[in-house]
Amino acid sequence: MWFRLVFIGVLSIFIVSCSSKNDLQADIITDSDWIVDELDVTGEFFLYPLALNPNFDSVQSINLANGELVGIVNFGNQVIVYPYVYTFENEVINSEFQGRKYAFTYCPITKSAIAFNRTGIFRASGYLYKNNLTPWDAETESIWSQMLIKGIQGDRKNNRFNTIPVLETTWGVVKSFFPNAKVLAGPPSLNNKSSLKYNSKPPDDTGNTDDDSGGNIPNNDDFVYGIIDDFDNVHIFKYSDFSNQMIVKIIRNQEYIIVGNQSKRFINAFKVSNANDFEELENQLPYVIKNKNGVKYNILGVGSNGSTLEKPKYAYVAIWRAWEDFYSSFNFIDKE
């Protein structure tokens, strides 16, 4: 068996790659109403190029290596794919689907992808907070923290993003299981090369078998999935958690089913009223679970009858050292 199910309850649950910025520097922010320590804010206010309503193409028209990492958002059966290598120039992509405006964001330092509903236009501000992307919204000129999922400066400070779940996986998975998806057609320049190739091992598998921390604490550059509850506790899942038998974990009073597959490189979570009403499916990808009525649900939480499972409000993949920079309270899957 190549994946595990995890039942979890939660109470409610560069200056690196940015290869080119806009030609004109925006006005420098001079007020000091940051809600975070300004010593953790680096860079300068220098807006990245605007990406607004970009072009999308068919899966068959895109030429990427199978191991390229992508972020997937879905609106029911409509699957929209953002190859990370195409986001490096902008880091914030303003998109729209059937009148619903949203932004897809990717930070190449913390390796985190988050999408959220929007009313106005967002751009990468040029600042980094704890080495993480800080989007800027043109409507209120507020600065937001991607990984904190909230405003940290300006009129929207302490406001939360209204998030849209992102499934991180590989281009190979998209080609195999979502051939009708729409795919971000590419950046203005194809000179950028992804450093996030996924070959024979998932990115969190360093091959290091030394266990210096009781077996649960990841290495700094391990990719891990986190669910953030209302108290800013983070429930951490590693790809290696899903390499063997099914495990069950109940925390507090809201049940989630966590599904993952180490070789296909995905982790996702679904809110359920009773986890005992579901069973795992083996060798039936993209379907991973089935309810007692026989409805099968795929890795995006879309059912064979068209229904969808709700996902955590605040959950995403990032490297472990970034999680440690932003949060202090973590829960891990216990090793048997």
Side-chain angles (χ1 to χ4, degrees), residues 40 46 55-56 66 69 81 101 114 135 160 166 180 201 215 218 252 255 284 286 306 310 314:
D40 290 325
F46 205 111
N55 294 323
F56 292 85
N66 286 340
L69 293 184
V81 181
K101 295 181 178 181
I114 292 172
R160 286 283 199 179
V166 175
N180 297 319
K201 297 181 179 180
R252 298 188 180 139
E255 289 189 325
Q284 296 189 45
E310 186 178 349
Y314 307 122

Side-chain angles (χ1 to χ4, degrees), residues 82-129:
Y82 292 83
Y84 292 162
V85 69
Y86 292 166
T87 68
F88 291 168
E89 182 170 331
N90 309 98
E91 299 193 5
V92 178
I93 313 293
N94 294 272
S95 299
E96 187 171 344
F97 176 76
Q98 295 183 350
R100 181 176 180 176
K101 295 181 178 181
Y102 69 97
F104 182 92
T105 69
Y106 179 72
C107 178
I109 300 176
T110 56
K111 310 295 193 285
S112 49
I114 292 172
F116 53 87
N117 293 296
R118 63 181 178 88
T119 56
I121 290 174
F122 282 77
R123 298 167 72 173
S125 69
Y127 287 120
L128 296 173
Y129 172 59

Side-chain angles (χ1 to χ4, degrees), residues 227-269:
I227 299 174
I228 308 165
D229 67 25
D230 284 350
F231 296 98
D232 280 348
N233 301 307
V234 184
H235 303 268
I236 293 292
F237 300 88
K238 300 177 291 183
Y239 289 95
S240 58
D241 290 333
F242 300 91
S243 60
N244 295 306
Q245 77 277 9
M246 181 178 74
I247 58 177
V248 177
K249 190 174 179 72
I250 305 292
I251 301 176
R252 298 188 180 139
N253 57 5
Q254 175 56 65
E255 289 189 325
Y256 281 82
I257 296 176
I258 317 297
V259 298
N261 185 301
Q262 188 174 25
S263 64
K264 298 298 183 183
R265 203 197 179 287
F266 67 80
I267 301 175
N268 211 349

Side-chain angles (χ1 to χ4, degrees), residues 206-211:
T206 63
N208 182 4
T209 58
D210 293 335
D211 189 354

Side-chain angles (χ1 to χ4, degrees), residues 35-37 40-42 107 109-112 114 127-135 144-152 160 228 231-234 236 316 318-330:
I35 64 167
V36 297
D37 189 339
D40 290 325
V41 179
T42 57
C107 178
I109 300 176
T110 56
K111 310 295 193 285
S112 49
I114 292 172
Y127 287 120
L128 296 173
Y129 172 59
K130 294 188 174 181
N131 288 321
N132 175 243
L133 163 68
T134 60
W144 302 69
S145 166
Q146 189 213 36
M147 284 192 62
L148 286 180
I149 321 179
K150 67 180 181 180
I152 58 174
R160 286 283 199 179
I228 308 165
F231 296 98
D232 280 348
N233 301 307
V234 184
I236 293 292
Y316 54 88
I319 56 174
W320 172 242
R321 68 167 177 260
W323 282 112
E324 281 196 302
D325 281 345
F326 277 87
Y327 298 93
S328 59
S329 178
F330 299 96

